[in-house]
Structures are given as C-alpha cells and as structure tokens.
Amino acid sequence: AQSVAQPEDQVNVAEGNPLTVKCTYSVSGNPYLFWYVQYPNRGLQFLLKYITGDNLVKGSYGFEAEFNKSQTSFHLKKPSALVSDSALYFCALLGSRGASGTYKYIFGTGTRLKVLA
Amino acid sequence: DGGITQSPKYLFRKEGQNVTLSCEQNLNHDAMYWYRQDPGQGLRLIYYSQIVNDFQKGDIAEGYSVSREKKESFPLTVTSAQKNPTAFYLCASSISGTDTQYFGPGTRLTVL
C-alpha cells in the first residue's frame, strides 16, 4: 500500500531555532517525494522534491529535506526558523494508480508550523 | 501560484444549485487536476486530465463533473448531487502525470 504520514499536527519552534517537520512514507519501488507549503486561504507552493540522487535536497526559502531510505522518511528542515515560516506544510508521494498505469499524488494530512517570536 | 488562475476566490451557493469553478493555466502543461481540501484531511483528488479531451475520476468524483476542451482550461462543476460541497477547491497542473504539480490560489465554496 502507498501512503504518507505526517505524525505531528502542529510543531512549535522559537524564531532562530532549527525546525524539523516529519514525513514518513510507504511505497513499493523508488519514491518520488515532495514538500509544499500553504499560507492561509492560498494555494500550495512547491518547496522541493526528491527523485533520485543526493539524500539531502535543497529547496526554496532556505528549506531542505533529508531522504532516508532505511527509515522511509523525508523530513523537512531549516537551520534557522523565521516567524514568516509559520504555515501549513504538506508532504506528498507520487504513487501509481495500479493497472491504469497512471500516477497520482498522495498527500499527508499536513503539519501546522508555528514559529514564535 | 504563478501561471494558474482560479475564479472566483469565494463562491456562495444555495442548496440545489450547480456551480462551476474556473481553472486556467498558461504554463503549457498537459496535465491538470482538481482537489478538495477539508480541515484535517489533506487534499483529496476529484478529477484529473492528462491530455485535452480526456479526464479520469479521482478518489471523490461523485457529485462533480469536469471538461477539458482546451489545454489551458479545466473547469469543475459542483452539482446538486454533491451532498457536502462546502470546502476549499484547488486546481493544479503539471507538465505530465509524473512531474511536479503547481497549484492555483484556490476557490472557497460555501453552501448557504
């Protein structure tokens, strides 16, 4: 079965501290993984993706994510959090739709990040 | 959100009415998608289209309909058969079905 889990509904971090937003996945075969951010009443903005290659992926706004195959995780990180990073973060897995041969995104339920001044 | 527009931003509907949400993209993407977002449930796929004049049902297609007559346009109709249509609707597009999806700003639909 293909799935994505974001185990934390909310993460609080002080401004200037490092942040981590967790994501784990389950898929047969090689995973394609994505992180998106959503600000209130807005669409999702693409942050970064892992397809293959280096396990540390760098993305927009200073974010990076670490792919760990043995732990089936793809955690989002930032060395120093900003108040403006406060938003809803989604992890997504590109999974197959089985016999149809097409693919679809499987989204996690989202993690609300709150950066405290 | 650049390159994908959705209109209107807010939409109010009376029970029993059909409404159509617009989605346009100028990214020359082949694939387009409609998602529904409810609090605490992430995004759920309603319909998707990988090419003009073709579309497929997603996970929650009941009560919705779409068309894909032009590459740049993928309107979604919420019919009176959709029992709980109040939600935030997001349109997305990608170069192909296995590429990064880019999202529009969304339409918030409220049934009165």
Side-chain angles (χ1 to χ4, degrees):
Chain A
Q2 303 167 107
S3 65
V4 169
Q6 293 182 243
E8 300 157 318
D9 290 336
Q10 181 158 322
V11 170
N12 295 329
V13 63
E15 187 175 30
N17 282 2
L19 70 87
T20 298
V21 182
K22 295 179 180 177
C23 173
T24 59
Y25 68 89
S26 174
V27 68
S28 56
N30 295 321
Y32 287 15
L33 294 157
F34 303 81
W35 274 104
Y36 287 83
V37 60
Q38 184 181 34
Y39 296 97
N41 293 311
R42 301 289 299 276
L44 275 65
Q45 294 179 31
F46 169 70
L47 283 177
L48 51 81
K49 67 181 177 184
Y50 173 83
I51 303 297
T52 186
D54 289 341
N55 290 341
L56 187 63
V57 180
K58 294 193 182 295
S60 305
Y61 313 120
F63 284 94
E64 57 191 27
E66 186 171 9
F67 173 70
N68 187 317
K69 189 170 184 178
S70 62
Q71 297 187 8
T72 61
S73 66
F74 189 55
H75 300 333
L76 182 71
K77 300 176 188 256
K78 188 173 183 182
S80 179
L82 301 172
V83 172
S84 58
D85 292 330
S86 298
L88 187 58
Y89 290 81
F90 288 97
C91 182
L93 167 72
L94 186 64
S96 70
R97 293 184 69 84
S100 69
T102 59
Y103 291 83
K104 72 167 187 176
Y105 272 35
I106 301 166
F107 284 91
T109 51
T111 298
R112 190 163 301 280
L113 174 67
K114 198 166 188 179
V115 181
L116 307 169
Chain B
D1 301 341
I4 303 175
T5 58
Q6 291 185 242
S7 62
K9 188 173 176 65
Y10 298 97
L11 185 57
F12 298 91
R13 189 194 95 172
K14 293 182 180 178
E15 284 193 23
Q17 285 183 334
N18 293 355
V19 289
T20 297
L21 283 59
S22 170
C23 177
E24 305 275 334
Q25 53 98 1
N26 62 4
L27 301 170
N28 200 33
H29 286 173
D30 282 322
M32 297 187 74
Y33 311 83
W34 274 105
Y35 291 92
R36 171 180 171 139
Q37 184 178 19
D38 296 283
Q41 293 195 40
L43 276 70
R44 293 183 288 168
L45 182 64
I46 304 172
Y47 267 97
Y48 65 101
S49 167
Q50 297 203 309
I51 199 167
V52 175
N53 293 321
D54 185 56
F55 50 83
Q56 305 295 330
K57 292 182 179 180
D59 300 317
I60 56 163
E62 186 175 350
Y64 300 98
S65 65
V66 294
S67 63
R68 186 84 187 278
E69 297 175 0
K70 297 187 294 182
K71 187 175 186 177
E72 57 270 22
S73 178
F74 191 41
L76 173 75
T77 297
V78 184
T79 75
S80 56
Q82 169 50 235
K83 297 305 177 191
N84 185 21
T86 294
F88 191 50
Y89 290 86
L90 288 161
C91 179
S93 71
S94 61
I95 295 173
S96 73
T98 57
D99 282 293
T100 302
Q101 292 186 14
Y102 295 92
F103 285 79
T107 292
R108 186 166 297 281
L109 172 63
T110 302
V111 174
L112 303 173

